[in-house]
Amino acid sequence: MASSQNLPGVSPPTPVPASVASPPKKQPYPFYLGGVAATIAASITHPLDLTKVRLQASGDKRMIESLKKTVRTAGVRGLFDGITGTWLRQMSYSMCRFWAYDESKKLIGAGKDAPAWKLATAGSMAGGIAGFIGNPGEIVMVRLQGDFAKPPEKRFNYKHCFDALFRIVREEGVSGLGRGVGPNVFRAVLMNASQLASYDFFKAELLKTKYFDDNIMCHFTASFAAGTVATTICSPADVLKSRIMNASGPGSNSTVAVIRQSMQNEGAMFMFKGWLPAWTRLQPTTILIFLTLEQLRNGVDWSRKQGYTLF
């Protein structure tokens, strides 16, 4: 039987170009998008984060009273005390954790429909790396935020984040930048294993249902669930980190000593002190981070389709 190539009036089939048969692999997003998204979110929720740190590190008892105290003593501007420390922390710790999370997922083969344990493993790996690298920024943020909750004679009186870094090195040595690194890394592991991994998990599960598409409603729901999970899991390490980093003097950076003293004075529930302001702060922060990050990614995709790259 004659093939179609030899029949009169019949054109041979046109070969399909390789570029059409297999579309080009999608380029990765810029590594710093997570840091930018986290900085925007943290700037908006800074007053809540400030209150959480002061509740954990001082004698303040209630969130509303602590907010009123800040406004009464320092004015509305006092709600943004230490904002430069927040920016430094987000552009070191947060930028690193999002980058490390994506790289860790590639390393262990955690794809789009990866099981929860693989996502949690990638999150834990990212948290360990980011917690260590971002520790100096974490110390600066905690001290700048907690300073005005102390008596005047015990304040650090840092001018801004860079002044804090220079003075810590000058007055406490380079090792001062490692204060509280153990609890901070532990908290970062918990945070990323719970927040980043649970967001990806909840988002994937929601997209499997008929009720959600990959849009802002799906992102909001997944990030709301992730924020609640992360707050509860991270509370003990968060309290310890704040108390150790906000202390000064010999022996004050001992995790065991802080736990022993806190248990004697307040009981085991000290580990969840500040849970409500932590949840109130982390919940909108988590939502804002992921909504902003998804929109930044959409912006990158849009710019690339237009034939140019803004990011």
Side-chain angles (χ1 to χ4, degrees), residues 160-270:
H160 45 69
C161 62
F162 298 112
D163 179 53
L165 282 174
F166 296 145
R167 282 185 52 191
I168 289 171
V169 173
R170 185 172 67 246
E171 297 169 8
E172 304 174 39
V174 177
S175 61
L177 298 176
R179 176 183 287 270
V181 68
N184 189 44
V185 169
F186 180 56
R187 176 191 176 276
V189 169
L190 294 177
M191 173 61 73
N192 288 276
S194 57
Q195 188 191 56
L196 298 185
S198 62
Y199 175 78
D200 277 352
F201 175 77
F202 286 127
K203 179 182 174 182
E205 292 300 310
L206 290 171
L207 289 175
K208 292 177 183 177
T209 71
K210 63 180 181 180
Y211 304 105
F212 290 92
D213 296 317
D214 193 359
N215 54 27
I216 194 169
M217 183 56 66
C218 175
H219 305 155
F220 176 87
T221 306
S223 58
F224 185 92
T228 302
V229 171
T231 302
T232 305
I233 291 177
C234 296
S235 182
D238 200 23
V239 172
L240 286 174
K241 172 188 70 71
S242 293
R243 295 191 176 193
I244 292 173
M245 289 183 172
N246 206 41
S248 60
S252 61
N253 61 346
S254 169
T255 303
V256 175
V258 171
I259 293 175
R260 183 184 298 115
Q261 183 178 2
S262 298
M263 288 284 287
Q264 290 174 350
N265 296 337
E266 305 168 64
M269 289 306 294
F270 88 90

Side-chain angles (χ1 to χ4, degrees), residues 56-87:
Q56 292 176 343
S58 72
D60 294 346
K61 301 297 182 183
R62 297 180 182 276
M63 180 177 65
I64 301 300
E65 281 73 8
S66 183
L67 282 168
K68 289 180 178 178
K69 178 182 176 182
T70 299
V71 174
R72 186 171 61 252
T73 57
V76 175
R77 289 184 60 184
L79 295 174
F80 292 89
D81 283 341
I83 189 68
T84 60
T86 296
W87 293 338

Side-chain angles (χ1 to χ4, degrees), residues 10-27:
V10 178
S11 302
T14 304
V16 179
S19 59
V20 175
S22 56
K25 187 177 180 181
K26 188 175 182 180
Q27 295 181 7

Side-chain angles (χ1 to χ4, degrees), residues 101-204:
Y101 180 59
D102 288 337
E103 294 301 315
S104 297
K105 286 196 293 184
K106 295 176 187 176
L107 185 64
I108 65 176
K112 183 179 179 181
D113 295 318
W117 70 267
K118 274 196 172 184
L119 296 174
T121 300
S124 299
M125 294 166 63
I129 296 170
F132 181 79
I133 293 177
N135 199 71
E138 195 84 24
I139 295 173
V140 170
M141 182 191 73
V142 168
R143 289 191 175 185
L144 284 172
Q145 290 180 356
D147 217 24
F148 280 96
K150 296 180 175 181
E153 67 276 7
K154 293 185 178 181
R155 293 175 185 173
F156 294 106
N157 293 317
Y158 299 136
K159 297 177 182 177
H160 45 69
C161 62
F162 298 112
D163 179 53
L165 282 174
F166 296 145
R167 282 185 52 191
I168 289 171
V169 173
R170 185 172 67 246
E171 297 169 8
E172 304 174 39
V174 177
S175 61
L177 298 176
R179 176 183 287 270
V181 68
N184 189 44
V185 169
F186 180 56
R187 176 191 176 276
V189 169
L190 294 177
M191 173 61 73
N192 288 276
S194 57
Q195 188 191 56
L196 298 185
S198 62
Y199 175 78
D200 277 352
F201 175 77
F202 286 127
K203 179 182 174 182

